[in-house]
Amino acid sequence: MKFKTTPYHAHLLKDTDRLSAFFNAIKDYDGEHDLAYDLGCGSGILSYFLASYFKQVKSIEINHKSSLCAQENLKDFENVEVINSDVLDYEFTKKADLIVCEMLDTALIDEEEVPVLNYAKDFLKENGKIIPQGIINTIELVNLERHYVHWDEGVNYESFSKPFVYSEYNFLDDINPVFEDELTLKADKVGIVNGLKITTYTILNDNLVAGPSPMLNPPLLIPLDEKSVKVNDLIKVKLKYIMGNGIESIQTEYI
Ligand SMILES: C[S@@+](CC[C@H](N)C(=O)[O-])C[C@H]1O[C@@H](n2cnc3c(N)ncnc32)[C@H](O)[C@@H]1O
């Protein structure tokens, strides 16, 4: 079947690592199969996977053009309803067994996964599940060529420390969208550091973790002032951002 998409969703469809991770998580889901919500359904591809497992699928998409594509792509499924709405304005009437929400981006800064799930998970049954179920973020020191916030899409940079896990989220928990912490990173070579690299790993379910792929959380590169470092120097950095408020919300400072 040929899916109708916007150009952006066409790129999402071409990322087969991303798609197979979600396909496998939906296939492996072992709870009740009454109702599933697909929040931010885009072209409808994840609803297409859900349709053969669930009695009812409600697919919500904020973008009008994308919702029309999803309606067209899913028109043969009587158990799927596509709704053109902001999830945050949608009045849920029924609790679901499963919520699929792929509004992911590195460290959840630039998309609305956190505000949307903080609202929508009230409409999940007591033993209900969320796909993905959470994320893990790692951070490292780097030397960057570009001195603005950007994603790792084939750009050059050099790593100056081992990555370590600085935050971890389970989407069943209430998540404070404001991240603020003081981090200590240990340099492992001599040279000039001028940035941070954040890598996000997506926990699809208890058995499946997806690393970055071109359209699923490519690492985020964040500039810092230049600093000379030696092996084993401890570099202390204050990092702040608001999940769902965009990369403009990122603030960094050496301590
Ligand atoms: C990363 S795309 C994923 C699309 C689709 N689930 C897929 O896997 O191809 C995220 C989608 O969420 C939609 N979206 C973002 N914020 C939303 C909101 N508040 N309510 C509904 N949809 C939203 C975007 O328009 C976009 O289509």
Side-chain angles (χ1 to χ4, degrees):
M1 172 187 171
K2 176 131 176 58
F3 253 58
K4 270 187 110 173
T5 67
T6 62
Y8 166 64
H9 292 104
H11 287 297
L12 289 175
L13 287 181
K14 281 183 204 145
D15 185 342
T16 48
D17 287 343
R18 184 190 82 93
L19 273 193
S20 59
F22 277 89
F23 176 78
N24 284 318
I26 289 168
K27 179 171 67 66
D28 293 348
Y29 164 79
D30 59 1
E32 296 296 308
H33 287 84
D34 184 19
L35 171 63
Y37 289 119
D38 179 6
L39 306 182
C41 70
S43 64
I45 184 66
L46 304 183
S47 299
Y48 185 87
F49 297 154
L50 290 164
S52 41
Y53 295 102
F54 282 81
K55 284 192 201 128
Q56 200 187 7
V57 179
K58 283 182 183 274
S59 314
I60 306 175
E61 171 55 48
I62 195 168
N63 181 279
H64 182 61
K65 218 168 165 184
S66 305
S67 73
L68 291 178
C69 291
Q71 249 158 32
E72 174 65 23
N73 295 330
L74 298 164
K75 67 176 188 292
D76 293 338
F77 294 102
E78 283 180 3
N79 56 338
V80 181
E81 182 189 356
V82 177
I83 299 144
N84 177 208
S85 171
D86 184 333
V87 172
L88 298 170
D89 293 334
Y90 182 70
E91 291 183 16
F92 291 88
T93 52
K94 200 173 160 191
K95 293 200 175 195
D97 304 295
L98 174 68
I99 291 177
V100 173
C101 184
E102 204 272 80
M103 297 182 195
L104 299 170
D105 72 287
T106 315
L108 308 176
I109 302 170
D110 212 38
E111 290 216 38
E112 289 188 89
E113 186 86 6
V114 167
V116 161
L117 282 180
N118 277 347
Y119 169 59
K121 71 183 171 47
D122 286 348
F123 303 95
L124 191 61
K125 288 182 192 166
E126 206 178 332
N127 296 320
K129 296 199 171 159
I130 300 177
I131 294 177
Q133 68 182 33
I135 59 150
I136 298 169
N137 294 319
T138 69
I139 195 158
E140 63 202 272
L141 292 168
V142 286
N143 179 282
L144 301 174
E145 272 185 4
R146 299 180 185 179
H147 300 290
Y148 51 87
V149 178
H150 57 291
W151 283 269
D152 176 5
E153 290 161 327
V155 295
N156 283 330
Y157 57 86
E158 187 183 348
S159 182
F160 270 80
S161 69
K162 300 225 168 4
F164 74 89
V165 174
Y166 76 92
S167 66
E168 219 171 321
Y169 296 99
N170 181 331
F171 291 149
L172 287 171
D173 297 332
D174 265 330
I175 296 175
N176 177 358
V178 181
F179 173 85
E180 189 168 13
D181 205 355
E182 296 181 358
L183 307 171
T184 303
L185 299 104
K186 192 183 195 177
D188 61 8
K189 61 174 106 151
V190 177
I192 305 284
V193 158
N194 67 1
L196 297 169
K197 172 183 171 186
I198 295 179
T199 306
T200 295
Y201 297 87
T202 308
I203 307 168
L204 276 304
N205 61 28
D206 289 342
N207 304 311
L208 185 57
V209 177
S213 61
M215 295 303 288
L216 182 65
N217 303 335
L220 187 62
L221 300 160
I222 301 168
L224 283 173
D225 290 341
E226 284 197 358
K227 200 184 218 6
S228 297
V229 295
K230 303 184 299 300
V231 179
N232 292 337
D233 275 358
L234 296 178
I235 309 299
K236 293 190 178 199
V237 179
K238 190 168 161 186
L239 176 65
K240 181 176 179 185
Y241 51 77
I242 304 174
M243 291 177 267
N245 273 31
I247 53 173
E248 300 75 21
S249 69
I250 300 172
Q251 293 173 30
T252 56
E253 192 188 317
Y254 288 114
I255 307 163

